[in-house]
Amino acid sequence: MEEQVRDYVYFENSSSNPYLVRRIEELNKTANGNVEAKVVCLFRRRDISSSLNSLADSNAREFEEESKQPGVSEQQRHQLKHRELFLSRQFESLPATHIRGKCSVTLLNETDILSQYLEKEDCFFYSLVFDPVQKTLLADQGEIRVGCKYQAEIPDRLAEGESDNRNQQKMEMKVWDPDNPLTDRQIDQFLVVARAVGTFARALDCSSSIRQPSLHMSAAAASRDITLFHAMDTLQRNGYDLAKAMSTLVPQGGPVLCRDEMEEWSASEAMLFEEALEKYGKDFNDIRQDFLPWKSLASIVQFYYMWKTTDRYIQQKRLKAAEADSKLKQVYIPTYTKPNPNQIISVGSKPGMNGAGFQKGLTCESCHTTQSAQWYAWGPPNMQCRLCASCWIYWKKYGGLKTPTQLEGAARSATEPHSRGHMSRPEAQSLSPYTTSANRAKLLAKNRQTFLLQTTKLTRIARRMCRDILQPRRAARRPYAPINANAIKAECSIRLPKAAKTPLKIHPLVRLPLATIVKELAAQAPLKPKTPRGTKTPINRNQMSQNRGLASIVGKRAYDSVAGGGVPFSANGRPMTSGMRSSAQPAVKRQKLNPADAPNPVVFVATKDTRALRKALTHLEMRRAARRPNLPLKVKPALPIRPVVAPLVPGPPAHPASTSEPIILED
């Protein structure tokens, strides 16, 4: 199998995913003797977002209406989406050994019939360009404009003696009369005078003398087409009177200087243009947007065609030709014969039997056949889906299944995306994208499997012995930071022989059943009915000897001053001075938690007294209680308020008394 530059080929980057469609731009030989291909990326519908898929669908409908395509069935329309690709300007390098075959990709034209693409193998089309960075779809600028929209309507020829009644001034402007009274010699002499005036004007201009320091360069610049066009236009405007035209070339202010884009552009701008042309080609819109935004599109186009007449363009063309000759033009790739890892190994000697671990009676997910020479595993492993040999090849080449499924979105109705709103969470999670509604009930129980991560004994030992490297407290505060587990285990293997004489004491942690924990929590904090605002729930101090349970779980809420006290306390339990501003805010109506909407039957509702007592906790105690909610929390007594020596005035009541024993709050 010989692959050449500009060929469209299949690349395989995964044994279970479809092939990648790429266009070979270059074939380069690496230092170790391998061949790498620089390719242009083409994307499938499955590679872009759903919003862009909707945009592609609307573009396809407009194309069918304008080109008057013949009607196709739903299955053909479904398969046509697999044949549509999206061109991009993204390049990547892939090893040539991953090439799995050739394909054909063409630009969709109005004269094409879409159903003809289904009749050909390995045939694709594209009409839109995908930008992976901006996530946009745009029409291809290289479209061949064929059709009634782009063709000119030629009017009938006028008969002899028939006059043209159209207004010629609105249609065109006359710039030269071939039946003028001047001879060719007189016209050539006037053009020589115009070139001489242009050379003299460049000698007087300071900027031109810097760009063309020599007389030869100024004369060459004055001989360009812009000077000749100006001279002939001057003759036309002066009625081909040489005397008037001469005086127009040299008015009272000085000689007329005519410059084209080649002279207006600086050397740095020309270098930017050459760099942009190397990157984007002749896409002048992108060149202007990314490299030369201060230039107009017309100026860039004019400079391009003038630049092609210079020696610089010829030199670059020769360098590119020499570079292309030195590169590889084609490469031979042997046929790939290794078995696919997704191939199901048959149990016995008879081919076509279900593989080990697969249930009997399963059919092909695409064509629903029960007989095939070879089966391939497809989709999530827990669903045990499979494809026959022909559908597997179709999946690898075209990135979809032959028949519409929920994965492809063809069988999804307009109201189905809203149907999950009234489902429970397990039911919504059990909906598989790989099955239709008919097979969903059969595979419902397969998705409800327990997912468990269990650490090994070496990992648990490494956590104890390498606490200085692991820093578990710091790692718990920053769960997003990566941890080098291999380095920790390597250090543990070094420290483990030294600590073998004094083995670690690993105490097994006995955990209560979940039902027991829920029962205790429900007994400690029963749900109370909604009380009217303004009433305070009394603190039951007779239950101080009981375990507090989860009363230490505190939340970040705004609160007023301490209940029953006139002196506000800060978050760390210390009284505020008169110079400090209290953070008390006016009471805001809070929305009560509806027990019917709670995910669990146990609900804890904090009262005002509970939130007021949280002020007695310091910041350190608050964090410690959050990290260890299973331990009972002790509330320290509040700091005493210094009595005022002046007139004996009864001071404000102190902070609510507390003891060293746990306080049980009844919510």
Side-chain angles (χ1 to χ4, degrees):
M1 182 173 56
E2 293 184 357
E3 313 298 340
Q4 299 179 357
V5 178
R6 312 297 295 179
D7 282 349
Y8 290 91
V9 295
Y10 294 118
F11 274 90
E12 185 176 23
N13 66 337
S14 174
S15 59
S16 58
N17 291 337
Y19 293 141
L20 305 176
V21 181
R22 299 290 186 263
R23 185 181 68 197
I24 300 177
E25 291 294 317
E26 295 178 4
L27 290 171
N28 302 319
K29 197 170 185 180
T30 60
N32 54 5
N34 297 329
V35 178
E36 284 190 352
K38 182 182 178 182
V39 295
V40 177
C41 299
L42 289 95
F43 295 88
R44 303 180 190 265
R45 276 180 172 262
R46 67 193 306 269
D47 301 326
I48 63 177
S49 61
S50 57
S51 59
L52 294 182
N53 268 299
S54 303
L55 183 61
D57 290 338
S58 62
N59 180 75
R61 287 192 295 268
E62 292 177 2
F63 174 80
E64 292 178 2
E65 293 175 359
E66 292 178 359
S67 59
K68 298 179 181 180
Q69 294 287 328
V72 294
S73 63
E74 287 298 327
Q75 185 171 358
Q76 288 178 333
R77 190 181 302 276
H78 166 75
Q79 294 180 2
L80 278 174
K81 293 182 179 181
H82 302 156
R83 302 298 184 101
E84 184 178 9
L85 299 177
F86 303 101
L87 187 65
S88 72
R89 295 188 181 90
Q90 179 177 342
F91 291 86
E92 63 180 359
S93 295
L94 296 173
T97 54
H98 289 188
I99 296 177
R100 297 294 180 262
K102 288 185 180 182
C103 59
S104 173
V105 182
T106 57
L107 177 65
L108 186 61
N109 198 359
E110 289 184 358
T111 58
D112 294 342
I113 300 177
L114 292 175
S115 58
Q116 292 181 352
Y117 286 95
L118 299 177
E119 301 172 0
K120 304 175 184 178
E121 288 290 331
D122 306 323
C123 189
F124 301 88
F125 65 89
Y126 76 93
S127 61
L128 300 175
V129 179
F130 173 61
D131 189 351
V133 180
Q134 303 293 335
K135 305 295 182 184
T136 56
L137 276 179
L138 300 173
D140 184 36
Q141 300 296 329
E143 179 184 2
I144 301 175
R145 298 185 175 183
V146 178
C148 59
K149 220 169 27 172
Y150 306 107
Q151 307 303 317
E153 296 181 1
I154 303 175
D156 297 334
R157 185 177 179 181
L158 297 176
E160 294 185 5
E162 184 181 358
S163 61
D164 192 357
N165 298 326
R166 296 176 298 177
N167 190 354
Q168 300 294 333
Q169 294 182 355
K170 293 183 178 180
M171 300 182 62
E172 56 190 1
M173 183 177 64
K174 193 173 184 179
V175 295
W176 183 257
D177 186 7
D179 300 328
N180 58 78
L182 299 178
T183 62
D184 293 343
R185 179 179 177 80
Q186 289 176 327
I187 294 175
D188 293 339
Q189 288 176 348
F190 182 78
L191 295 180
V192 171
V193 172
R195 294 191 192 100
V197 171
T199 305
F200 179 65
R202 282 167 177 78
L204 296 179
D205 186 57
C206 297
S207 60
S208 299
S209 61
I210 296 175
R211 297 178 183 178
Q212 295 100 15
S214 64
L215 179 62
H216 295 285
M217 295 178 64
S218 299
S223 301
R224 299 186 65 83
D225 292 340
I226 187 68
T227 305
L228 303 182
F229 292 158
H230 175 67
M232 298 174 74
D233 184 60
T234 303
L235 285 175
Q236 171 70 19
R237 283 188 285 105
N238 290 278
Y240 298 95
D241 188 350
L242 291 178
K244 291 182 180 179
M246 291 283 186
S247 60
T248 306
L249 286 179
V250 188
Q252 186 177 2
V256 176
L257 177 59
C258 300
R259 289 177 179 170
D260 55 10
E261 298 297 334
M262 208 65 185
E263 287 187 81
E264 291 289 346
W265 286 45
S266 62
S268 59
E269 291 174 341
M271 294 293 291
L272 279 176
F273 175 79
E274 292 178 359
E275 182 182 350
L277 196 67
E278 182 72 20
K279 181 177 180 181
Y280 292 123
K282 291 190 294 183
D283 196 338
F284 300 113
N285 287 312
D286 289 347
I287 291 175
R288 179 177 179 269
Q289 182 177 358
D290 296 343
F291 285 85
L292 299 165
W294 59 89
K295 295 288 185 181
S296 64
L297 189 61
S299 174
I300 294 175
V301 174
Q302 290 179 11
F303 180 80
Y304 167 73
Y305 286 103
M306 292 180 183
W307 173 78
K308 289 184 69 174
T309 62
T310 60
D311 295 336
R312 178 75 176 174
Y313 169 75
I314 298 173
Q315 183 181 2
Q316 286 193 2
K317 195 173 181 180
R318 289 175 181 173
L319 289 175
K320 287 184 178 180
E323 186 179 357
D325 292 339
S326 62
K327 291 182 178 179
L328 296 175
K329 293 184 176 57
Q330 64 181 12
V331 62
Y332 176 77
I333 305 297
T335 305
Y336 187 77
T337 57
K338 294 182 179 180
N340 194 291
N342 294 274
Q343 183 176 348
I344 301 175
I345 303 174
S346 58
V347 178
S349 58
K350 296 181 180 181
M353 298 291 291
N354 291 321
F358 274 69
Q359 298 179 1
K360 294 182 179 180
L362 292 179
T363 60
C364 176
E365 291 293 326
S366 178
C367 62
H368 307 291
T369 184
T370 56
Q371 296 180 358
S372 177
Q374 184 59 54
W375 295 96
Y376 294 87
W378 181 79
N382 63 319
M383 296 181 61
Q384 297 186 358
C385 301
R386 63 179 185 174
L387 295 177
C388 62
S390 61
C391 293
W392 177 258
I393 296 175
Y394 187 92
W395 159 258
K396 293 291 287 185
K397 287 185 176 181
Y398 305 115
L401 302 182
K402 294 180 181 179
T403 56
T405 61
Q406 190 176 2
L407 172 65
E408 301 294 333
R412 188 181 300 136
S413 61
T415 58
E416 187 171 354
H418 306 283
S419 62
R420 295 193 180 193
H422 60 273
M423 293 184 181
S424 63
R425 187 173 182 179
E427 291 176 353
Q429 290 177 348
S430 65
L431 294 179
S432 170
Y434 296 93
T435 56
T436 58
S437 57
N439 298 331
R440 190 177 301 152
K442 179 179 65 174
L443 301 174
L444 182 61
K446 296 179 182 178
N447 279 343
R448 298 183 179 180
Q449 295 183 358
T450 304
F451 183 71
L452 178 63
L453 293 177
Q454 187 173 5
T455 57
T456 61
K457 188 174 292 186
L458 177 61
T459 304
R460 294 196 294 269
I461 293 175
R463 290 174 181 171
R464 296 292 185 90
M465 297 194 63
C466 303
R467 294 181 68 89
D468 55 337
I469 302 176
L470 178 61
Q471 297 180 355
R473 289 179 178 269
R474 181 181 177 87
R477 297 191 191 103
R478 303 172 61 192
Y480 53 86
I483 298 175
N484 193 350
N486 295 329
I488 295 175
K489 290 182 180 180
E491 182 66 22
C492 178
S493 61
I494 297 174
R495 299 182 183 182
L496 195 58
K498 300 178 182 179
K501 298 179 181 180
T502 57
L504 294 175
K505 295 181 181 180
I506 302 178
H507 302 283
L509 182 61
V510 180
R511 299 183 183 273
L512 296 176
L514 182 60
T516 306
I517 297 176
V518 172
K519 190 184 236 179
E520 291 181 0
L521 294 179
Q524 292 174 9
L527 182 65
K528 294 184 65 177
K530 184 187 293 186
T531 58
R533 297 190 60 84
T535 60
K536 300 182 180 180
T537 304
I539 301 176
N540 189 356
R541 301 187 181 275
N542 297 326
Q543 300 178 356
M544 289 185 179
S545 58
Q546 299 179 4
N547 186 11
R548 190 178 177 188
L550 283 185
S552 60
I553 300 180
V554 293
K556 295 182 179 179
R557 301 194 180 198
Y559 50 83
D560 299 333
S561 59
V562 181
V567 180
F569 283 80
S570 61
N572 57 5
R574 299 174 182 173
M576 292 185 179
T577 59
S578 59
M580 298 178 62
R581 186 176 60 181
S582 173
S583 61
Q585 298 178 358
V588 180
K589 185 176 181 181
R590 298 184 180 276
Q591 185 178 3
K592 294 292 184 179
L593 182 63
N594 188 6
D597 298 335
N600 297 321
V602 180
V603 181
F604 298 94
V605 181
T607 62
K608 290 184 178 180
D609 296 329
T610 306
R611 292 193 291 269
L613 280 178
R614 290 174 183 168
K615 296 174 61 176
L617 299 177
T618 63
H619 186 63
L620 185 60
E621 290 174 347
M622 192 92 69
R623 296 177 64 180
R624 187 182 295 115
R627 294 195 192 103
R628 299 180 180 180
N630 59 313
L631 299 180
L633 183 64
K634 298 180 180 180
V635 181
K636 296 181 180 180
L639 296 177
I641 301 176
R642 296 180 180 179
V644 182
V645 183
L648 297 175
V649 179
H655 193 273
S658 59
T659 62
S660 60
E661 297 181 358
I663 295 179
I664 307 301
L665 302 181
E666 215 176 290
D667 292 346

